């Protein structure tokens, strides 16, 4: 039997949970799969099979989630990149000035945030995140990151459900509308927690020695 305790928190929250959305949808819509679980509810063995199936499907769902987030952030960029602009509102103007000074010290060379490219800034933010975690201040970051991953996976899972139901029912039905609405809500949560993560990352970094 599969013990959920063997999975780390992200695998349970960010992989198995979104995978369960698709697994449950398939179990209700695909008779052949539903028969595998019997007619009297899940046994212990069935539950283990369901968890494994949700885990596998969750990774595939998150692949679609990666595509969705690429589309969402293609225009504005990730919130952690917004601080490069002097007009950003993620952190205060004073905090941005402090961040620029601290990044200059980190890189041991004069740094103007506005002049940094996306890839260069990505390398710097990775170092910043490492510094924050090394200082023991990464608990909130990890919580925001897990919730972001969960929301991204749920958005992808409900998108799959909406497409499946739309094809099966050949049109816009109540089930399709509900699944699409839940996908939109999950996307909103994804964007919200990406902002929380970006703001928390820089504020925690500014407070590190």
């Amino acid at each position: 039997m599969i013990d959920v305790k063997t999975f780390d928190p992200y695998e349970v929250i960010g992989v198995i949970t979104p995978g369960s959305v698709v697994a449950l949808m398939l179990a209700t819509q695909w008779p052949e799969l539903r028969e595998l679980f019997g007619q009297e509810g899940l046994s212990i063995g069935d539950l283990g099979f369901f968890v494994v199936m949700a885990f596998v499907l969750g990774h595939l769902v998150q692949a679609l989630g990666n595509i969705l987030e690429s589309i969402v952030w293609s225009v504005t960029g990730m919130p952690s990149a917004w601080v490069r602009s002097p007009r950003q509102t993620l952190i205060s103007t004073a905090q941005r000035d402090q961040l620029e000074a601290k990044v200059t010290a980190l890189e041991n060379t004069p740094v103007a945030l506005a002049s940094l490219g996306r890839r260069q800034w990505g390398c710097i933010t990775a170092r910043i995140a490492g510094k924050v975690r090394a200082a023991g201040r990464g608990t909130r970051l990890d919580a925001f990151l897990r919730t972001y991953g969960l929301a991204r996976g749920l958005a992808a899972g409900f998108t799959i459900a909406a497409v499946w139901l739309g094809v099966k029912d050949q049109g816009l039905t109540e089930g399709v509308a509900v699944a699409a609405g839940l996908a939109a809500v999950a996307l909103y949560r994804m964007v919200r927690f990406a902002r929380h993560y970006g703001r928390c990352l820089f504020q925690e970094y500014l407070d590190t020695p």
Side-chain angles (χ1 to χ4, degrees), residues 1 13 51 60 115 133 136 139 141 152 158 163 169-170 191:
M1 184 182 71
I13 296 172
V51 171
L60 299 177
S115 67
R133 289 187 171 87
T139 302
L141 284 181
R152 181 185 62 194
F158 284 118
V163 172
D169 298 334
Q170 297 182 348
V191 172

Side-chain angles (χ1 to χ4, degrees), residues 1 49 68 74 88 90 92 130 132 144 146 153 157 163 170 174 185 190:
M1 184 182 71
F49 172 71
L68 289 177
S74 62
Q88 60 82 37
L90 190 69
S92 70
V132 170
F144 288 142
R146 284 193 296 269
V163 172
Q170 297 182 348
E174 182 178 334
V185 172
M190 184 191 82

Side-chain angles (χ1 to χ4, degrees), residues 153-177:
L154 290 176
F158 284 118
T159 297
I160 292 172
V163 172
W164 176 286
L165 294 173
V167 172
K168 178 178 178 294
D169 298 334
Q170 297 182 348
L172 179 59
T173 63
E174 182 178 334
V176 174

Side-chain angles (χ1 to χ4, degrees), residues 14 28 45 70 88 116 145 147 173 201:
T28 58
S70 296
Q88 60 82 37
L116 295 174
L145 200 57
T147 306
T173 63
L201 172 64

